[in-house]
Amino acid sequence: MSTPPTLAAPPVQVPPHPQWPALTADEKAQLTTRIKTLLTEQQAVLVAHYYTDPDLQALAEETGGCVADSLEMARFGAASDARTLVVCGVRFMGETAKILNPEKRVLMPDLRATCSLDEGCPAEAFSAFCDAHPDHTVVVYANTSARVKARADWVVTSSIALPIVKHLKAQGQKVVWAPDKHLGHYIERMTGADMLLWDGAGVVHEEFKSFALERVRRLHPQAAVLVHPESPDAVVDQADVVGSTTQLIRAVVEMPNQEFIIATDEGIFWKMHQLAPHKTLIAAPTAGEGATCESCAHCPWMAMNSLQSLEQALRRQDQEVHIEQSLGVRAVIPIRRMLDFARAQAPASGRR
Ligand code: 13P
């Protein structure tokens, strides 16, 4: 008798954080100038995530690119008329850009920058699981490979996952969800939808610790707690705001509090400081007493994006994202479904 397909995610090997040599102000200025020239020569635009190095975020803004969450990165790339999109982030972000824009060249600073969620959801095992539940609608987080997306009915990002699953529930649909069990469980709790959750977790958010967070909250009783929904339930339960990177940034700007405890990748602090310079940002703890952390609130794959790796990739042109055409035409369907849904929602809410 064959073993039934399970929801178990395979173990993921987390690399050490890359150690980039420190740059003097002069070296940084020279490197930045070289990158700007290469971008112009190659008619390229930077599309950067909030978790990347602040130098890259600043450069993306300065050169007419974008700094955004994963949904907005996808939209920006699709709307841009640049010939080359240089995606500073992790692999699934580059792949999404390529799937949506097969006619454009998509480069990344380092193609090895994967994501623990993507790694923890191999396409064959996931597909077998979906096959075993044909009466379920398949919803996958954007943090997945092109092959997993190609098996899905819907792709979602953290900023749009809730309304999409609400919509599916209203239609009486049951959901297979992958890969992040914490985000999946949060959505299940908020919507009451019938969901089967893949057993994956992201290395950054998985490490936020609830007891240590309680202690930090006692030390800062006036602080608002902002949590990305990839975090475990016990951390989410302590949040004043649960949301995508963009939603958390907006909370810092709009809430009256002066102090914020933030449970997501520390790369986001650059944008928060930029938009609300007088507010105090406190990193949520990633380790309790005696505990250790692997990612320590910064994704080691995101950290592969640096001025150095970007300059090298533009110069060598050897970090190009390729997606087989037959795969791309399947994977684009659930991504477009998400973008169409977001567009249809926008006039009603006025924003995401
Ligand atoms: P956002 O869509 O909220 O930016 O999250 C991206 C991400 O990769 C979190 O792990």
Side-chain angles (χ1 to χ4, degrees):
M1 211 173 88
S2 65
T3 344
T6 72
L7 290 160
V12 174
Q13 201 66 35
V14 182
H17 284 90
Q19 300 298 318
W20 297 104
L23 298 170
T24 63
D26 267 1
E27 286 168 339
K28 195 183 271 190
Q30 282 168 19
L31 197 53
T32 306
T33 305
R34 276 207 300 281
I35 293 171
K36 286 181 182 167
T37 306
L38 287 161
L39 288 173
T40 310
E41 283 171 3
Q42 298 180 28
Q43 295 177 44
V45 70
L46 293 177
V47 187
H49 190 264
Y50 292 126
Y51 292 163
T52 55
D53 186 303
D55 289 335
L56 292 176
Q57 297 187 47
L59 187 58
E61 287 194 339
E62 219 187 296
T63 53
C66 87
V67 181
D69 67 11
S70 27
L71 179 61
E72 195 50 39
M73 286 171 78
R75 285 164 157 169
F76 181 91
S80 165
D81 51 17
R83 282 187 50 205
T84 299
L85 304 173
V86 186
V87 176
C88 299
V90 288
R91 184 72 186 243
F92 79 83
M93 295 169 176
E95 289 187 348
T96 300
K98 185 66 188 176
I99 292 165
L100 282 168
N101 307 282
E103 74 295 350
K104 290 181 188 155
R105 194 169 67 126
V106 176
L107 301 181
M108 297 189 71
D110 191 331
L111 288 178
R112 291 170 304 172
T114 181
C115 164
S116 48
L117 286 164
D118 182 348
E119 292 292 300
C121 190
E124 294 77 19
F126 179 62
S127 198
F129 186 77
C130 297
D131 291 346
H133 298 280
D135 56 337
H136 283 60
T137 301
V138 178
V139 181
V140 302
Y141 196 27
N143 304 35
T144 44
S145 66
R147 289 183 62 207
V148 167
K149 288 185 175 76
R151 182 63 185 78
D153 299 302
W154 289 82
V155 167
V156 298
T157 69
S158 62
S159 63
I160 193 107
L162 260 181
I164 286 180
V165 175
K166 240 184 230 163
H167 162 79
L168 296 176
K169 179 175 187 262
Q171 294 185 338
Q173 298 185 40
K174 292 187 281 187
V175 168
V176 160
W177 166 271
D180 191 314
K181 63 181 171 191
H182 298 306
L183 179 57
H185 193 221
Y186 171 70
I187 292 166
E188 192 178 34
R189 287 200 292 165
M190 298 304 288
T191 61
D194 182 338
M195 294 170 74
L196 282 170
L197 310 182
W198 188 259
D199 187 27
V203 65
V204 172
H205 295 93
E206 171 97 317
E207 287 182 344
F208 289 114
K209 297 287 182 285
S210 61
F211 289 129
L213 176 58
E214 279 169 21
R215 255 201 320 275
V216 177
R217 284 174 55 219
R218 280 197 293 277
L219 291 173
H220 301 275
Q222 306 302 326
V225 180
L226 311 183
V227 175
H228 195 281
E230 285 179 28
S231 308
D233 282 356
V235 173
V236 167
D237 287 345
Q238 297 183 51
D240 295 297
V241 175
V242 181
S244 70
T245 47
T246 298
Q247 289 157 350
L248 300 186
I249 291 166
R250 190 180 296 139
V252 169
V253 174
E254 293 179 357
M255 288 176 79
N257 306 57
Q258 279 308 306
E259 288 187 322
F260 294 86
I261 301 169
I262 297 169
T264 193
D265 189 294
E266 289 177 11
I268 203 171
F269 283 28
W270 183 79
K271 182 49 88 182
M272 289 176 167
H273 277 305
Q274 185 196 48
L275 296 179
H278 304 300
K279 300 215 171 166
T280 303
L281 309 178
I282 302 159
T286 48
E289 249 133 72
T292 54
C293 55
E294 252 180 330
S295 83
C296 306
H298 187 41
C299 172
W301 292 288
M302 281 283 180
M304 291 176 180
N305 294 270
S306 68
L307 287 177
Q308 291 98 322
S309 58
L310 171 60
E311 191 270 344
Q312 188 168 298
L314 282 168
R315 190 163 35 80
R316 296 187 180 165
Q317 306 196 27
D318 59 353
Q319 301 293 307
E320 181 170 353
V321 178
H322 294 284
I323 299 284
E324 205 186 298
Q325 200 211 355
S326 60
L327 179 60
V329 294
R330 284 183 288 131
V332 80
I333 296 169
I335 302 176
R336 286 238 175 88
R337 201 165 273 149
M338 166 181 74
L339 295 178
D340 291 345
F341 184 94
R343 199 172 306 118
Q345 265 220 325
S349 65
R351 61 189 197 189
R352 289 197 316 280

